[in-house]
Amino acid sequence: MTAPLHHAGFFGFDVFGTVVDWRSGVARAARPFLQRYGIGVDPFAFADQWRALYQPAMEQVRTGARPWVRLDVLQRENLELLLARHGADVATLAEDELADLNRAWERLDPWPDAVAGLTRIRRRFPIGTVSNSHVAGMVQLARFGGLAWDAILGAEMAHDYKPQPQVYLKSADVAGVPPHRFVLVAAHNGDLRAARACGLRTVFVPRPLEHGPGQDTDLEAEDDWDLVAGDFLELADLLGCP
Amino acid sequence: MTAPLHHAGFFGFDVFGTVVDWRSGVARAARPFLQRYGIGVDPFAFADQWRALYQPAMEQVRTGARPWVRLDVLQRENLELLLARHGADVATLAEDELADLNRAWERLDPWPDAVAGLTRIRRRFPIGTVSNSHVAGMVQLARFGGLAWDAILGAEMAHDYKPQPQVYLKSADVAGVPPHRFVLVAAHNGDLRAARACGLRTVFVPRPLEHGPGQDTDLEAEDDWDLVAGDFLELADLLGCP
């Protein structure tokens, strides 16, 4: 392993895509809903479309066009928007079913290596989330998937969304370590670029199935990140975590 | 158990005194330090005196006389104040040893029932800290004692100190539950009074040795808290957590 990570004080993880498989989980939750209401769209396409609305919605907050709101609020607005696009009359849908579908983002399976890898890394380093999700959603997701974090950091404590610098800097600050001892682990080169610009250390772990079988982004490291690992088990190996 | 707690959404725990035995742990860390520098004070008395400076220091922040600072900053100032009172020339003491002694608050033993009780409660309910400590200190303390929290909540995210209402309300807000579904567990009646005034549910667990063998405060419930349990194992029983 590279020298800087030996002295890391905290490992922060991007979550959606890096730790958990959002596409399969959202499609799994959407399938019965779409069938029940006769909405004719493939559940995986629906997951992709819902996810595609995620960045523009956060951008409203990043630019200051809209005051801070939590991710579950944005996801719910996007869900209604997407259902309407597919011809649904949202006002006629059952509120509890809409709320339940919105919580699909709290019931996503970890990638197969994630729990075992995190468990090993955590024996040696404190670990936490650096996600754009709200804290409560991360708590539920961790309980669903058996992820044991030392702390939930990220967007909510900065009241802004990645890749805004404040999210990385606030996460390191709250973790009690200087940026150069805070490591971001992510499957997204853009996330790592923003973290590096803030002085954080960076680890890339590709997740070539995040966007399904046709994925053509983030298949490999696009910069000389401090470390690149095939998955979290290899990362644990590289960090010397037995 | 009482009906309201059946529907609880989150259990928040006071930590110093309620979950961990600060007095023994601080005395244990202080003893060799005091001996090395020939400071003639009993380590338990030293722990009590250090702790006694804690409320007045936080009060400065609560009243707005001083901007928000983290608890480790206040503890460090109080440590230097106390050492000076005992005749030490603080400027001559080794910085790394002072910093290490200040971290005594991150190396405190959980009460004997705490880890087993929390483990059982967590199987059914999300659990977290609602402490006046900074997040990083809570992370280290949890790792030292084997405490598995779902989230670290409390003072730092409110930028104020208990018993200010904002600390309880912000903790419930971040946990994603309304105050009446957020339960505070504490060994201190005053903490519970403030939490109840915010609409939270309340559980009292006496810790009759928190202040040592002569303790004369918080030996019993002083109000009709939602639940009173002898320790965390009994609390787990009362909550139906096997």
Side-chain angles (χ1 to χ4, degrees):
Chain A
M1 64 179 291
T2 56
L5 300 193
H6 250 312
H7 302 289
F10 200 99
F11 277 74
F13 289 76
D14 171 64
V15 177
F16 296 131
T18 299
V19 178
V20 300
D21 173 8
W22 58 265
R23 189 171 186 264
S24 303
V26 170
R28 176 175 62 204
R31 185 183 306 275
F33 182 97
L34 298 171
Q35 282 181 340
R36 187 158 50 253
Y37 289 106
I39 299 167
V41 54
D42 172 72
F44 286 99
F46 187 83
D48 291 338
Q49 291 162 14
W50 195 359
R51 172 76 176 194
L53 294 170
Y54 173 76
Q55 291 296 340
M58 292 191 296
E59 191 63 14
Q60 296 272 83
V61 173
R62 292 188 195 110
T63 58
R66 179 177 184 175
W68 162 256
V69 285
R70 291 181 186 165
L71 191 65
D72 56 338
V73 174
L74 299 179
Q75 298 282 44
R76 173 62 186 260
E77 292 172 0
N78 291 341
L79 173 60
E80 297 191 16
L81 192 66
L82 185 57
L83 289 168
R85 274 192 202 165
H86 285 290
D89 179 359
V90 174
T92 67
L93 304 177
E95 167 56 30
D96 61 339
E97 291 183 39
L98 281 169
D100 189 64
L101 181 53
N102 204 44
R103 283 194 295 268
W105 297 90
E106 301 174 3
R107 294 190 290 261
L108 308 171
D109 295 334
W111 295 111
D113 54 282
V115 172
L118 289 173
T119 301
R120 286 173 55 191
I121 295 165
R122 191 181 182 212
R123 284 199 201 108
R124 183 154 164 202
F125 299 100
I127 63 172
T129 63
V130 181
S131 171
N132 277 333
S133 171
H134 55 309
V135 172
M138 284 289 103
V139 165
Q140 294 305 323
L141 185 70
R143 291 175 65 84
F144 177 83
L147 308 165
W149 303 113
D150 290 298
I152 309 292
L153 308 172
E156 189 170 349
M157 53 193 57
H159 277 202
D160 208 340
Y161 285 108
K162 293 191 291 181
Q164 291 287 86
Q166 190 55 23
V167 182
Y168 307 99
L169 293 171
K170 184 76 176 174
S171 294
D173 179 53
V174 171
V177 300
H180 70 271
R181 294 187 57 227
F182 192 100
V183 184
L184 183 72
V185 181
H188 310 122
N189 286 282
D191 201 1
L192 297 176
R193 267 190 290 275
R196 175 175 275 183
C198 293
L200 274 64
R201 301 296 170 180
T202 50
V203 172
F204 180 73
V205 177
R207 295 300 192 185
L209 294 174
E210 176 184 357
H211 295 280
Q215 180 167 332
D216 59 4
T217 57
D218 288 315
L219 295 175
E220 54 188 40
E222 293 168 6
D223 211 333
D224 61 332
W225 308 124
D226 291 299
L227 213 55
V228 176
D231 62 21
F232 288 3
L233 295 170
E234 189 185 330
L235 177 56
D237 288 342
L238 293 168
L239 295 172
C241 302
Chain B
M1 65 177 287
T2 57
L5 300 192
H6 250 312
H7 302 290
F10 200 98
F11 277 74
F13 290 77
D14 172 64
V15 177
F16 297 130
T18 300
V19 178
V20 300
D21 174 9
W22 58 264
R23 189 172 186 263
S24 303
V26 171
R28 176 177 62 205
R31 185 183 305 275
F33 183 96
L34 298 171
Q35 283 181 340
R36 188 160 48 254
Y37 289 106
I39 299 166
V41 55
D42 173 72
F44 286 99
F46 187 83
D48 292 337
Q49 291 161 14
W50 197 357
R51 172 73 174 196
L53 295 171
Y54 173 75
Q55 289 296 341
M58 291 191 295
E59 191 62 15
Q60 297 272 82
V61 173
R62 292 188 196 111
T63 58
R66 177 176 186 178
W68 163 258
V69 284
R70 291 181 185 165
L71 191 65
D72 56 339
V73 174
L74 299 178
Q75 298 282 44
R76 173 61 186 261
E77 292 172 1
N78 291 341
L79 173 60
E80 297 190 16
L81 192 66
L82 184 59
L83 289 167
R85 276 193 200 165
H86 286 289
D89 179 359
V90 174
T92 66
L93 304 178
E95 168 55 30
D96 60 340
E97 292 182 38
L98 281 169
D100 190 63
L101 181 52
N102 204 45
R103 282 193 295 268
W105 297 90
E106 302 174 3
R107 293 189 289 259
L108 307 172
D109 294 333
W111 296 110
D113 54 283
V115 172
L118 289 173
T119 301
R120 287 173 53 194
I121 295 164
R122 191 180 182 214
R123 285 198 199 108
R124 183 153 164 205
F125 299 100
I127 63 172
T129 63
V130 181
S131 171
N132 277 333
S133 170
H134 55 307
V135 172
M138 284 289 104
V139 165
Q140 294 305 323
L141 185 69
R143 291 175 64 84
F144 177 83
L147 307 165
W149 303 114
D150 290 297
I152 309 292
L153 308 172
E156 189 169 349
M157 53 193 59
H159 277 203
D160 207 340
Y161 285 110
K162 293 193 292 182
Q164 292 287 85
Q166 190 56 22
V167 183
Y168 306 99
L169 293 172
K170 184 77 176 175
S171 294
D173 180 53
V174 171
V177 300
H180 70 272
R181 294 187 58 226
F182 192 100
V183 184
L184 182 72
V185 181
H188 311 121
N189 286 281
D191 201 1
L192 297 177
R193 266 189 291 275
R196 174 175 277 185
C198 294
L200 272 65
R201 301 294 171 183
T202 50
V203 172
F204 180 72
V205 177
R207 294 301 191 185
L209 294 175
E210 176 184 357
H211 295 280
Q215 180 167 332
D216 59 3
T217 57
D218 288 316
L219 295 174
E220 52 189 41
E222 293 167 8
D223 212 333
D224 61 332
W225 307 124
D226 291 299
L227 214 56
V228 176
D231 63 18
F232 288 2
L233 295 169
E234 189 185 332
L235 178 56
D237 288 342
L238 292 168
L239 295 173
C241 302

